[in-house]
Amino acid sequence: MKKSAVLISSLALLSFLTTACSCDKCAPAAEQTDADVSAAAAVPAAEAGRGFLQEGHEIRWSELTADRVVPDSVAAIERARAEIDAICALPPEKLTYDNVVDAYMKAYARFDFVGNLLSHIESVRMDDDFRAAYGEALPLLSEFETSIGLNEKLWATLKAYSETADAKNLSPQKARYLKKLMDGFRDGGADLPPEKKAELMELNKELTTITQRFSQNVLDATNAFSLLVTDEARLAGLPETNRAAALEAARKAGKASDDKPAWLFTLQAPSLSPAMTYLDDAALRKELWEASNSLCVGGQYDNAEIMKRVLELRQREAEILGEKDFSDLILKRRMAKNGETAYNFAVNLYETTRPALEREYRELKDFRASADAGYDGGDFEPWEIAYWSEKMRKARYDFDSNALKPYLSMPRVMDGMFRFFEELYGIEISETPTAFVELGSGASVPAGTVEVWHPEVKFYEIRDAETKARIGVFYTDWYPRASKRAGAWMHPFSVGDRAKGTPNFGLVCGNMTAPVGDEPALLTHYDVETIYHEFGHLLHHLLGNTEVAALNGTSVAWDFVEFPSQLNENWTWEPEVLKRFAKHYKTGETLPQPMIDAMLRARNFHAAYSQARQLGFAISDLYIHRNAKLLAGKNINDVAVELGLAAAWRTKTPANSILNRLTHIFRAPVAYASGYYSYKWAEALEADAFLTFKKPDGTIDFSKGKPYREKILAKGDSEDADVLFRDFVGRDPDWNAINVIYGIAEK
């Protein structure tokens, strides 16, 4: 599966398309002035700036304890309520952009920052105490947040302001934000009768609670499984670096020692993926596949009933808000505009992929027949696909992907990536010393040092190379832990103010192969792609420079948000870029040219399979949300399996769909629901745009970096995505470019 992209908090839905509750707390105050806005919003001194009520970018993570979750959430609600009360109480003749629209945006941003801290800790440091507190706080936060979108007095104030002369003479960005804000309130049900608002309130509270439970089930089920191997002979075929990682995992779990070695395998990607790819022991691969295939399907952590209920609630939400289904509700203000367009895009791309997909399977069967005398020529078992694909790749291209790992150490990859983007975009990236403080200890860190939530976390800043202005800061957290959710993501925490010298603030997280002993983390090329992908999201956020903060960076239409991240993946295949970081971790030798050549020849190996698998997830996602009423009461996993898209290729043993564990779609009230197609939609766009970075001789045209930064990254959502694309590329998109780049179709 592709990288997970941007993490959007369930509390951060600026469009209000999923907000659903009512609140009559916005009582007017007599003769309130503009100056009273700040006073009304004051938080008790004992709470301000502490725990989850912190602001800024150098967070005291050790203060984010479970006992603060509920009281700080309540304080954040009261602060935001007071700020909105003050807006609602303004006399009609005193309404301005600053005291209505900008004041609302800032109030929401402060409230949302608390939600960002909560969702981040839930993602990287989950324990039983925090889980219980988070579960108690989420409905409170959700209820208040959704009440904002349905607050009659606030809506009346916004409408009154929108009709003023001031509103009709705004700058283009301010006018755009006001329109988006008004559309969001209107589409989110601000004009609904009270009984419908009340129903939406209860609906969204339940969605918030059960989608959190879905995500927790996935984490718990993943952590509940481990497989201990005590016979080293069963590890035949597994590369030494992966053996060492499995041995280290067993030692950390207390299941191995120097005189009694053992090797521990889990369902975390850095453990599971190499095992399925390289282990000669088919029985061992089968056992691991069966555990992965049954994740959250049946048993203690089954997500079937949660999925059914989520679809029911989303469908009902769409109906209340006047739409046919959830896809139409969610996509109405994205590039695709509706579920039918998105579905047709995914299906049509799948159909153009199908001939190459079938050819690839025939070729794999032919290869196995030539190498395996016991093979009967039929369909593969699911646990055989990765194994035989890797053997075919190595034989066809003389390329062993695992041989790259000594050249892809995490320190060199990060440094090479930073230096490349410094040159391309005219920026400077530097690391700041960090210190880990035990949770709740009250200890402080030395001056000039930034506190982090785990010893492996790092902190960096970005400055403009010309002006030296500090424009962005970010944290990185790259390695897996039992308390950390799977996948990789970027979190756009907050937007700074360049006029005041405050930077944009974000972070990136992943689950890459961890260091073993004194050795650095040695990555797969897929890991490197993932890092570049998430850094693409991060730069979109950090290099954003919009007049209106709410239009910054990744606030673009959701089917454009993957454009910068997926364009970034292409750089990891460019020889000029590879030679900057692909150096042997012991000798410093640059990745030899013959290996680069072999790697590039193998780049599009089984590209149709990868694309079809991705499209299968997208089609399944759209299908279940467009047909929720027809599927009522049915097992959603079975429905997805019947679509025949779960594994792209037919297999002897049918695989479950991954919907039961697909947190992209079910971990929050919206998340990527009806939006998984966005990966391929954005990838089709970026494949076309990436070609503009190449000179006729195939080398990189660095002069394109500044226009890209200025016309795409800096612009955020200040203009429609199709306008931004045309402004950079100079024409409408060529939707076939994606198949050309991946060798699936000819130009």
Side-chain angles (χ1 to χ4, degrees):
M1 182 169 36
K2 276 283 185 183
K3 299 80 186 171
S4 67
V6 188
L7 176 64
I8 296 295
S9 166
S10 61
L11 310 173
L13 305 173
L14 285 171
S15 70
F16 296 110
L17 282 179
T18 58
T19 59
C21 75
S22 59
C23 177
D24 288 325
K25 304 282 188 182
C26 213
E31 298 298 321
Q32 189 142 6
T33 66
D34 295 357
D36 292 327
V37 173
S38 296
V43 204
E47 299 292 340
R50 301 299 303 275
F52 291 93
L53 296 172
Q54 296 178 63
E55 297 182 1
H57 55 267
E58 294 188 12
I59 305 297
R60 296 184 294 277
W61 301 99
S62 56
E63 288 189 6
L64 305 186
T65 54
D67 63 313
R68 295 201 65 116
V69 170
V70 174
D72 286 357
S73 297
V74 171
I77 290 170
E78 292 306 314
R79 179 177 64 188
R81 178 177 288 126
E83 291 173 330
I84 291 174
D85 282 349
I87 295 170
C88 295
L90 290 166
E93 67 275 11
K94 291 191 174 183
L95 302 183
T96 68
Y97 180 89
D98 288 342
N99 66 19
V100 177
V101 180
D102 192 60
Y104 163 76
M105 179 175 64
K106 289 175 178 176
Y108 189 90
R110 294 180 75 196
F111 171 75
D112 184 53
F113 193 79
V114 176
N116 284 337
L117 288 174
L118 286 164
S119 64
H120 174 62
I121 296 302
E122 189 265 345
S123 295
V124 300
R125 201 184 65 200
M126 175 64 76
D127 58 33
D128 291 342
D129 290 340
F130 186 89
R131 173 178 294 181
Y134 189 62
E136 185 177 349
L138 264 185
L140 303 177
L141 292 161
S142 174
E143 180 176 2
F144 174 72
E145 184 203 21
T146 53
S147 76
I148 299 172
L150 297 170
N151 186 305
E152 293 181 6
K153 292 183 174 65
L154 179 60
W155 179 225
T157 301
L158 285 169
K159 286 195 291 187
Y161 169 70
S162 71
E163 296 169 358
T164 65
D166 184 69
K168 299 184 188 309
N169 289 282
L170 294 173
S171 68
Q173 281 197 34
K174 289 180 178 179
R176 179 178 175 84
Y177 177 61
L178 175 60
K179 182 180 186 306
K180 287 171 68 70
L181 191 61
M182 298 292 288
D183 288 346
F185 269 81
R186 193 175 293 108
D187 293 343
D191 288 327
L192 288 173
E195 66 274 13
K196 294 296 184 185
K197 292 181 179 180
E199 184 180 356
L200 283 172
M201 174 185 66
E202 295 304 318
L203 180 154
N204 203 57
K205 284 171 62 177
E206 185 179 353
L207 263 177
T208 301
T209 300
I210 65 174
T211 52
Q212 181 207 10
R213 192 160 72 247
F214 179 98
S215 185
Q216 289 176 348
N217 280 348
V218 175
L219 178 64
D220 290 344
T222 301
N223 290 335
F225 175 85
S226 64
L227 176 61
L228 190 70
V229 175
T230 56
D231 180 3
E232 189 171 8
R234 299 195 71 190
L235 303 183
L238 189 69
E240 183 55 41
T241 54
N242 299 115
R243 290 194 189 200
L247 178 62
E248 182 72 8
R251 285 174 174 162
K252 287 182 177 179
K255 297 182 178 182
S257 60
D258 290 341
D259 59 344
K260 192 177 180 181
W263 297 264
L264 189 70
F265 295 90
T266 71
L267 298 183
Q268 294 280 0
S271 176
L272 180 65
S273 180
M276 298 302 297
T277 302
Y278 295 105
L279 283 171
D280 292 333
D281 189 328
L284 192 52
R285 281 187 273 114
K286 179 182 179 181
E287 189 171 354
L288 289 167
W289 177 83
E290 287 177 338
S292 176
N293 185 57
S294 62
L295 201 68
C296 297
V297 179
Q300 180 181 358
Y301 303 110
D302 183 30
N303 273 331
E305 293 303 314
I306 293 177
M307 293 161 64
K308 282 195 286 188
R309 184 58 178 159
V310 167
L311 289 182
E312 291 172 3
L313 293 171
R314 286 172 174 169
Q315 175 64 27
R316 180 56 186 155
E317 179 182 14
E319 292 170 353
I320 292 172
L321 294 172
E323 298 294 340
K324 180 179 61 177
D325 56 53
F326 188 73
S327 294
D328 281 356
L329 174 67
I330 292 303
L331 302 185
K332 64 193 303 182
R333 286 191 283 131
R334 299 183 185 179
M335 292 183 76
K337 303 303 182 187
N338 56 60
E340 181 179 9
T341 300
Y343 186 79
N344 288 341
F345 163 79
V347 169
N348 290 340
L349 187 55
Y350 190 95
E351 288 304 316
T352 64
T353 307
R354 189 189 296 276
L357 176 69
E358 294 173 350
R359 183 189 69 244
E360 287 177 354
Y361 202 11
R362 289 194 305 270
E363 291 173 348
L364 184 61
K365 290 176 178 179
D366 290 343
F367 170 79
R368 183 176 178 183
S370 68
D372 179 6
Y375 173 53
D376 63 6
D379 289 337
F380 283 33
E381 290 287 8
W383 53 89
E384 296 173 331
I385 290 175
Y387 177 77
W388 282 102
S389 292
E390 180 59 26
K391 285 190 174 296
M392 181 178 174
R393 185 207 309 261
K394 186 174 181 180
R396 175 178 285 188
Y397 301 106
D398 190 25
F399 176 65
D400 179 359
S401 59
N402 196 65
L404 293 175
K405 293 179 71 174
Y407 295 90
L408 302 178
S409 66
M410 178 66 83
R412 290 188 185 276
V413 167
M414 293 298 293
D415 184 68
M417 179 176 71
F418 290 164
R419 303 294 83 83
F420 171 67
F421 286 117
E422 284 178 338
E423 182 178 352
L424 188 65
Y425 297 141
I427 57 178
E428 296 174 349
I429 305 173
S430 59
E431 183 176 353
T432 301
T434 58
F436 171 67
V437 178
E438 291 291 342
L439 192 64
S441 68
S444 59
V445 299
T449 302
V450 174
E451 184 178 324
V452 293
W453 61 87
H454 189 274
E456 294 169 343
V457 175
K458 296 182 181 297
F459 182 85
Y460 304 88
E461 69 172 26
I462 297 181
R463 293 182 181 271
D464 184 274
E466 291 184 8
T467 67
K468 306 304 179 184
R470 193 186 196 204
I471 56 180
V473 296
F474 62 98
Y475 298 81
T476 65
D477 181 359
W478 288 124
Y479 306 121
R481 299 184 292 275
S483 60
K484 184 180 179 183
R485 76 174 180 88
W489 62 93
M490 188 282 287
H491 205 141
F493 253 73
S494 64
V495 179
D497 185 337
R498 292 200 183 178
K500 296 179 179 178
T502 56
N504 296 337
F505 163 34
L507 56 85
V508 281
C509 296
N511 285 273
M512 315 306 170
T513 304
V516 176
D518 295 330
E519 301 289 317
L522 301 180
L523 308 176
T524 66
H525 185 265
Y526 184 83
D527 289 337
V528 177
E529 275 191 304
T530 301
I531 290 170
Y532 270 70
H533 178 105
E534 301 307 337
F535 200 63
H537 283 308
L538 187 67
L539 289 176
H540 195 190
H541 173 62
L542 298 182
L543 300 186
N545 187 20
T546 54
E547 178 187 12
V548 178
L551 299 179
N552 188 73
T554 56
S555 60
V556 296
W558 201 239
D559 36 15
F560 193 68
V561 77
E562 296 296 332
F563 180 94
S565 58
Q566 296 192 150
L567 186 144
N568 252 27
E569 292 184 34
N570 292 295
W571 296 122
T572 69
W573 295 94
E574 292 298 311
E576 290 177 77
V577 180
L578 279 167
K579 291 176 181 178
R580 292 169 181 252
F581 66 78
K583 300 179 185 293
H584 199 283
Y585 77 103
K586 288 183 178 178
T587 68
E589 175 197 11
T590 300
L591 185 65
Q593 189 62 46
M595 292 185 70
I596 294 177
D597 293 340
M599 173 185 165
L600 294 176
R601 288 196 302 270
R603 178 183 183 181
N604 290 338
F605 178 71
H606 286 176
Y609 172 82
S610 298
Q611 178 153 290
R613 186 167 181 268
Q614 191 84 352
L615 289 167
F617 302 151
I619 293 168
S620 298
D621 168 36
L622 287 162
Y623 182 86
I624 61 176
H625 284 101
R626 296 183 71 217
N627 296 282
K629 295 175 76 171
L630 295 176
L631 302 178
K634 294 186 178 181
N635 185 296
I636 306 304
N637 172 69
D638 293 344
V639 170
V641 171
E642 288 172 8
L643 289 175
L645 302 167
W649 287 331
R650 298 177 304 277
T651 54
K652 289 181 180 177
T653 301
N656 288 318
S657 79
I658 69 165
L659 290 178
N660 283 57
R661 60 185 187 274
L662 191 54
T663 52
H664 283 62
I665 295 174
F666 290 106
R667 79 175 302 270
V670 179
Y672 269 78
S674 290
Y676 203 92
Y677 78 93
S678 301
Y679 282 106
K680 280 298 171 185
W681 181 285
E683 193 173 2
L685 291 172
E686 67 80 7
D688 190 17
F690 181 73
L691 297 177
T692 67
F693 280 92
K694 306 299 287 293
K695 296 179 181 177
D697 65 359
T699 58
I700 298 169
D701 184 353
F702 281 88
S703 70
K704 295 292 185 180
K706 186 176 181 181
Y708 180 75
R709 175 183 169 183
E710 293 175 347
K711 295 181 178 183
I712 299 291
L713 301 181
K715 289 283 191 177
D717 191 38
S718 59
E719 294 186 72
D720 288 348
D722 57 341
V723 173
L724 297 178
F725 180 91
R726 284 195 298 271
D727 189 31
F728 175 64
V729 177
R731 54 170 171 74
D732 289 339
D734 175 2
W735 293 97
N736 192 48
I738 184 173
N739 285 339
V740 173
I741 279 186
Y742 292 134
I744 294 170
E746 296 182 358
K747 185 74 173 178

